[in-house]
Amino acid sequence: MAASSGTVAVAAPAAPVAGLQAQFAAAAKEFKVPESVLLAVSYQQTRWESHQGLPSTTGNYNVMGLTQVDLAAVAAAQAAAQPEVDLRGDGDAPAARRAAAPVPAPPADSPALHTLEAAAKLIGRPEAELRENTLQSIRGGAALLAEQQRGAKKPQSADPAAWYDAVVRFSNGGAPGQGSAEGQEFADRVFGTLKVGAVRTTSEGQRVTLTADPAAAAHSPAVDRGVARGVERQPGSRDTALAAAPAAAPAAPSIAAADPIECPATLGCDFRPAAYAKNSADVNDFGNYSIANRSGVDIDYIVIHDTEGGYAGSLATFQNPATLASAHYLLRSSDGHVTQMVANKDIAWHAGNKTFNMNSVGIEHEGYALSGAAWYSEQLYQSSATLTRYLADRFGVPLDREHIIGHDEVPGPIQSSVNGMHWDPGTFWDWNHYMDLVGGHVTPDQGYAVGGRITVNPPFSNAYRPTINNVASQPANFVYLYSSPGGPLIGNGTQNASDWSDKAVAGGSYVVAEIQGQWIAIWYNGRKAWFWNDGTMAAADNRPGQYALTPKAGLSSVAVYGRSYPEYNAYAAFHVPAPSPNIVALDYTLPAGQLYVPASTTPVAGAFYYAPTVDGSAPYDRSWVTGGVTYYPIRYNHRLAFVSADDVDLVPAKTDVLASGERVQLLAQTSSGPVNAGANFTRGAWEKYHAMPTVPGPADPNQSFGVLYMGSQLHAVTVANGHVYTADRNLYTGVWTPWYDLQVTGAAGPLSSPVTEVAVAATGTKMHVVVVSGGRLLEAAADYSAGRWYPWGDISGVLGLPSGALNRIAATASGNVMYINGVGTDGHVYIADADYNRGVWGFGDVTGAVGPLSGTITGLATVAVGSQQHVLALVDGKVKQATADYAAGRWNGWGDVSAVTGQTAPLSKLAVTFTGTNLRLFGVYNGQVVCANGDYALGRWSTWMDTQAPGAAGPIDPATTVAVAGA
């Protein structure tokens, strides 16, 4: 772009400026551009990423996203590109017609494609420096903004609101006659970012902050595009930007019913129809889509594409019926503008697979076939994510990567088409960022388990730059898959970007087949496929209720299909001819013993849409054919596929990630309700806190729990609002039952007084529930082997204790002996023990055996291990411990646990368990659940750790109570 107002006076280069934040400040000062505007423009171009000087798919470079596009090189690359497969996806288009389909035209030349050259001239630096050096890129961007401010005939004001027109011109290149519409959406997002601010650490470790300035946006002409301030993700996550897409569902479209545009109100959209016309006199020879009557129940997927052509050229291509291809939407790179080309009720020809065309919406993203292109513009991500979220909400598409997919994840419908399927959007589409914007990001969890589900989740940053043939080192969205740990790539795979056969892409979900150290094998393409994982390459999916598919018993393997057509007989019932071939398997199988992730746990009926003519003139034209055969869509390899529902069983995926080793389960009451989490101390893995079922009635902020392991079940008892309930968690599926009322006939039975405390212990297959009700100590028991409850018995009566004799109760068991501790009215700690082998009870004064405690006892916790019982007392918020050795017939006196663990602040609640050789304490401090470990083998204590810290169980609302079970 030639400067329209002369050149900018440039000061002599100063000493190098270190750090992006300082570079933005220096460039803003040098060129008299508001620093906040410069920061916001860069954020909306690149999120402050340099991309190591590599170009985007539309020729943007470095942190300011300045453009440099060689049109001759683009045209040459397009001419050499892979030809399109039959995007109609049913093989009906004549081969000669497909071969004659035009390719997208290169982008039309304009100043918007050469802003880097213009900026280099303005600051008098070589173009290479603006591509490769962040400071020179920022200086060039600042100079260009200043030039565009002059071009807009506006003063160089210190008020950011005065720079709106310059930002518009920055986006469209300020070309004469080009108008401002193309840049307005970009400028609106820039000022939306100014309004909410942003904080981000780039992939190169640069921390950059843009302070929110609501006034700037309010005083500018900017339209609110829905840029919302997001919550910064925890350290270790992929992206910590504060500017993100709305977490709530986007607003419904504000268009009248007659308006063909289907678009969220926050996006600037237009409708330019794709061609729907004959290519010859034959009514069967037409393009570029099928008229249909789809509703939300017919749309299961959103498919992401890139055009490998300019916006205008791609639009022209889709408006030529000879192309035999279309998409529902086309997005422009410079500002994220959305053009709808096909109504969502109709079937666009975009996926190369009729099943996916029938059941998806296709979104094309502008991208030239540039050599070395390594990233996509932020405007594409933001508009596309907003559009995708709108479509997902409207049609009920799940926000996961089995339903929001790339064109590269669509299977070949039949074997002959497999090799010709496309691989866009490619290895440099940042799925992590995109799904964050959509609202379906993966929560990192390292609790991997054989038979459990995981989601591939490599960091799209400089921390992970896999080798790719003929490509500069850069972040990528996949992990390589190997035939064995450290062995060759699976299936004679290569390190070519286009070779999808040996890659698992970010967001894809698989079932773990084996774990060897830092190597994980997944079931993939009918075999084990291994990838190296240091804990950052994949996230365990430990959500309750996850499933997998496996061949039915007795089958050695089952067929895998690329499409889900109905059986032959179904076509006759609808009076339409059946395609030939119809149901045909791919050259793949799903062998017995292997497990694959279903995209849906409800099988889908085989379906086919018959629409052979352009005018609907064939008998029964534009008819849906559905059959009796049903399929499960699955994540089979890099791509999705289908298996017959008659061939497979849907089984619970293993979500008991704590199945072996030293493990605990935590329950806590928080200000928003009860939560549960787990830890495996042997493996250093945590299960994240997650919500539990709520008890009937109003919330009780002081709801307390007792919890214990019994086999594959976690049994919990709770007191809420003076009433006792019980619930179980299946540790294989991770699913909790609802809370059941224990105070009913058939369970423990009714109680005459409210319950104030509860404790639990297990002897064999029995769970003993001990409560304080009306001041009395009562016990009921569930015998799980016999499937019955024993009703409440009066322990106080057996022991001869008056009402109110004990409170602050805790219980534990060893073998067939149960121990109950409590605090008496005299402040002493007492113990009652029941020997179920002999049928006798005992009662004693612990304080009399070990000595008094100085202070007020606010809580007790106890755990028995073999012949020893550990009693923990919370005294004025500090932890004291006494231990009984029943084999030796003695007690060890009170020890100060708080002193040896470095506890300085008081705890309000305390719980204890024992795993391996470790006494594990959990407490509540200032609303946080904390833990400390006493290792009896090593003779040492740890300090207190926050279970809510990143890498542990994660954040929760303030907690008031805690309970723990160990195994």
Side-chain angles (χ1 to χ4, degrees):
M1 179 190 71
S4 59
S5 304
T7 58
V8 178
V10 181
V17 181
L20 279 181
Q21 190 84 57
Q23 290 175 2
F24 278 110
K29 180 179 180 181
E30 179 183 358
F31 294 99
K32 298 180 176 57
V33 176
E35 183 180 351
S36 60
V37 172
L38 189 60
L39 281 163
V41 166
S42 176
Y43 186 87
Q44 283 297 330
Q45 288 281 76
T46 68
R47 291 188 301 150
W48 303 319
E49 292 283 353
S50 73
H51 296 288
Q52 299 86 48
L54 299 170
S56 76
T57 57
T58 44
N60 305 85
Y61 286 87
N62 218 313
V63 291
M64 292 305 298
L66 301 173
T67 57
Q68 187 174 43
V69 178
D70 183 339
L71 294 178
V74 171
Q78 287 178 325
Q82 172 188 2
E84 292 281 1
V85 297
D86 173 19
L87 292 182
R88 186 169 177 172
D90 56 11
D92 289 346
R97 178 68 68 196
R98 295 200 304 270
V103 298
D109 200 7
S110 79
L113 302 184
H114 305 288
T115 60
L116 187 143
E117 294 101 307
K121 289 178 181 178
L122 288 172
I123 65 172
R125 307 299 298 179
E127 294 171 5
E129 286 190 9
L130 277 73
R131 292 194 298 266
E132 300 165 6
N133 182 285
T134 58
L135 176 60
Q136 299 310 326
S137 175
I138 295 168
R139 291 182 69 241
L144 197 57
L145 275 168
E147 176 73 359
Q148 298 297 5
Q149 182 78 341
R150 284 187 290 273
K153 298 180 170 45
K154 297 291 180 67
Q156 285 188 280
S157 170
D159 179 8
W163 288 74
Y164 180 86
D165 290 343
V167 175
V168 171
R169 293 170 60 88
F170 183 95
S171 174
N172 65 26
Q178 179 143 341
S180 63
E182 181 172 334
Q184 285 177 350
E185 290 173 65
F186 173 76
D188 290 345
R189 282 211 181 95
V190 167
F191 278 79
T193 300
L194 270 175
K195 177 180 178 181
V196 300
V199 177
R200 185 167 191 271
T201 300
T202 72
S203 63
E204 295 175 323
Q206 294 283 332
R207 187 74 168 177
V208 183
T209 298
L210 168 60
T211 302
D213 185 0
H219 296 151
S220 76
V223 174
D224 186 358
R225 299 288 178 184
V227 176
R229 188 176 181 89
V231 177
E232 184 164 346
R233 295 175 65 184
Q234 295 296 327
S237 62
R238 312 301 178 229
D239 190 353
T240 56
L242 289 183
S254 60
I255 54 176
D259 195 323
I261 300 175
E262 299 162 281
C263 197
T266 55
L267 291 180
C269 305
D270 62 7
F271 193 97
R272 303 188 189 186
Y276 188 78
K278 293 190 294 184
N279 288 302
S280 66
D282 184 357
V283 294
N284 297 285
D285 179 14
F286 70 97
N288 284 332
Y289 60 92
S290 299
I291 291 177
N293 57 348
R294 297 191 307 172
S295 65
V297 296
D298 303 312
I299 296 174
D300 299 317
Y301 307 96
I302 297 169
V303 183
I304 304 301
H305 305 260
D306 79 349
T307 61
E308 297 189 1
Y311 167 81
S314 297
L315 184 61
T317 300
F318 290 133
Q319 292 178 327
N320 182 342
T323 304
L324 305 182
S326 61
H328 292 92
Y329 298 92
L330 172 64
L331 272 66
R332 189 165 60 205
S333 173
S334 62
D335 59 357
H337 178 75
V338 177
T339 294
Q340 186 171 3
M341 297 175 291
V342 177
N344 288 319
K345 73 176 183 64
D346 297 327
I347 298 172
W349 300 348
H350 63 98
N353 182 313
K354 182 159 186 163
T355 291
F356 280 85
N357 281 343
M358 292 189 305
N359 295 287
S360 69
V361 172
I363 304 176
E364 287 277 4
H365 299 75
E366 181 185 18
Y368 321 142
L370 287 172
S371 176
W375 52 285
Y376 288 81
S377 83
E378 184 61 15
Q379 296 307 296
L380 285 180
Y381 283 123
Q382 295 218 11
S383 286
S384 179
T386 302
L387 175 62
T388 289
R389 181 60 185 261
Y390 160 83
L391 294 169
D393 288 333
R394 181 179 176 188
F395 298 123
V397 178
L399 299 178
D400 62 45
R401 286 278 290 106
E402 274 62 60
H403 296 88
I404 300 172
I405 62 176
H407 193 181
D408 57 328
E409 292 165 292
V410 174
I414 57 177
Q415 190 60 40
S416 61
S417 63
V418 168
N419 289 338
M421 298 302 289
H422 273 213
W423 56 281
D424 59 308
T427 55
F428 309 121
W429 177 266
D430 188 350
W431 280 112
N432 295 339
H433 177 47
Y434 188 70
M435 295 305 291
D436 280 348
L437 292 174
V438 168
H441 69 261
V442 175
T443 300
D445 193 335
Q446 297 180 348
Y448 315 109
V450 173
R453 289 172 44 158
I454 63 170
T455 300
V456 175
N457 191 39
F460 198 87
S461 71
N462 284 346
Y464 177 68
R465 296 187 288 179
T467 300
I468 302 173
N469 289 339
N470 303 313
V471 172
S473 177
Q474 59 195 278
N477 64 12
F478 67 90
V479 295
Y480 280 119
L481 299 171
Y482 299 85
S483 59
S484 60
L489 294 168
I490 62 169
N492 298 314
T494 69
Q495 292 181 326
N496 295 334
S498 60
D499 185 354
W500 56 265
S501 67
D502 56 1
K503 299 176 180 66
V505 172
S509 293
Y510 301 89
V511 178
V512 177
E514 190 176 344
I515 300 173
Q516 291 185 18
Q518 289 189 317
W519 286 89
I520 291 182
I522 55 176
W523 294 119
Y524 180 99
N525 205 45
R527 62 176 295 172
K528 287 182 182 179
W530 294 84
F531 66 94
W532 180 83
N533 175 45
D534 62 354
T536 65
M537 298 295 147
D541 188 347
N542 296 319
R543 294 172 297 167
Q546 300 303 298
Y547 290 88
L549 290 168
T550 193
K552 287 185 179 293
L555 297 178
S556 61
S557 65
V558 301
V560 175
Y561 303 91
R563 60 192 184 190
S564 56
Y565 279 7
E567 65 277 12
Y568 275 109
N569 293 341
Y571 296 90
F574 288 85
H575 311 289
V576 304
S580 181
N582 182 39
I583 298 178
V584 55
L586 301 174
D587 291 349
Y588 306 125
T589 62
L590 196 163
Q594 296 189 11
L595 294 160
Y596 289 80
V597 171
S600 169
T601 55
T602 302
V604 296
F608 181 89
Y609 185 66
Y610 179 69
T613 69
V614 70
D615 56 3
S617 59
Y620 300 97
D621 209 332
R622 299 175 182 169
S623 296
W624 288 95
V625 178
T626 55
V629 63
T630 58
Y631 300 85
Y632 283 108
I634 65 170
R635 172 74 68 172
Y636 180 69
N637 45 35
H638 180 96
R639 303 184 189 272
L640 301 184
F642 298 92
V643 291
S644 170
D646 292 334
D647 292 342
V648 294
D649 285 325
L650 187 69
V651 299
K654 193 169 183 61
T655 55
D656 179 14
V657 300
L658 312 172
S660 61
E662 295 184 42
R663 59 201 190 277
V664 301
Q665 286 280 315
L666 300 174
L667 275 63
Q669 176 68 355
T670 74
S671 59
S672 58
V675 296
N676 169 215
N680 187 315
F681 292 97
T682 302
R683 296 167 56 192
W686 284 85
E687 177 191 33
K688 303 300 180 185
Y689 281 115
H690 51 273
M692 295 174 60
T694 56
V695 297
D700 183 353
N702 296 311
Q703 180 178 346
S704 59
F705 306 89
V707 61
L708 49 80
Y709 276 94
M710 293 185 72
S712 63
Q713 298 285 323
L714 190 69
H715 298 289
V717 177
T718 190
V719 174
N721 301 307
H723 209 83
V724 186
Y725 304 87
T726 184
D728 302 327
R729 185 187 186 195
N730 184 319
L731 291 170
Y732 287 113
T733 64
V735 177
W736 280 95
T737 67
W739 290 103
Y740 295 107
D741 189 349
L742 270 185
Q743 296 177 221
V744 296
T745 303
L751 292 168
S752 59
S753 300
V755 175
T756 55
E757 299 181 48
V758 67
V760 294
T763 60
T765 61
K766 293 185 177 70
M767 177 177 71
H768 303 268
V769 180
V770 182
V771 300
V772 176
S773 174
R776 308 290 292 178
L777 202 59
L778 308 176
E779 176 204 4
D783 188 335
Y784 289 98
S785 63
R788 60 166 295 187
W789 276 91
Y790 295 91
W792 300 108
D794 187 352
I795 300 174
S796 293
V798 172
L799 298 174
L801 298 175
S803 296
L806 292 177
N807 58 58
R808 312 296 187 192
I809 64 170
T812 186
S814 180
N816 267 343
V817 179
M818 180 174 68
Y819 306 97
I820 304 170
N821 292 104
V823 179
T825 56
D826 58 359
H828 284 210
V829 178
Y830 290 88
I831 182 169
D833 56 83
D835 188 330
Y836 291 97
N837 288 330
R838 297 190 295 143
V840 296
W841 279 88
F843 188 75
D845 182 353
V846 174
T847 300
V850 299
L853 287 165
S854 177
T856 302
I857 301 174
T858 56
L860 290 177
T862 184
V863 62
V865 184
S867 64
Q868 294 187 332
Q869 182 198 1
H870 303 277
V871 179
L872 287 300
L874 199 57
V875 184
D876 295 333
K878 298 299 181 71
V879 182
K880 310 295 182 180
Q881 177 191 1
T883 301
D885 188 335
Y886 294 114
R890 67 170 183 261
W891 278 86
N892 295 321
W894 297 109
D896 190 345
V897 176
S898 294
V900 295
T901 56
Q903 179 194 344
T904 58
L907 302 179
S908 58
K909 297 294 179 182
L910 183 67
V912 66
T913 190
F914 202 97
T915 66
T917 62
N918 290 272
L919 187 69
R920 303 197 181 275
L921 304 184
F922 290 79
V924 176
Y925 156 67
N926 197 28
Q928 295 174 291
V929 178
V930 294
C931 67
N933 302 324
D935 190 325
Y936 280 73
L938 299 177
R940 67 187 183 197
W941 279 88
S942 72
T943 56
W944 291 90
M945 168 194 156
D946 184 1
T947 67
Q948 298 159 228
I956 54 174
D957 290 329
T960 54
T961 64
V962 66
V964 63

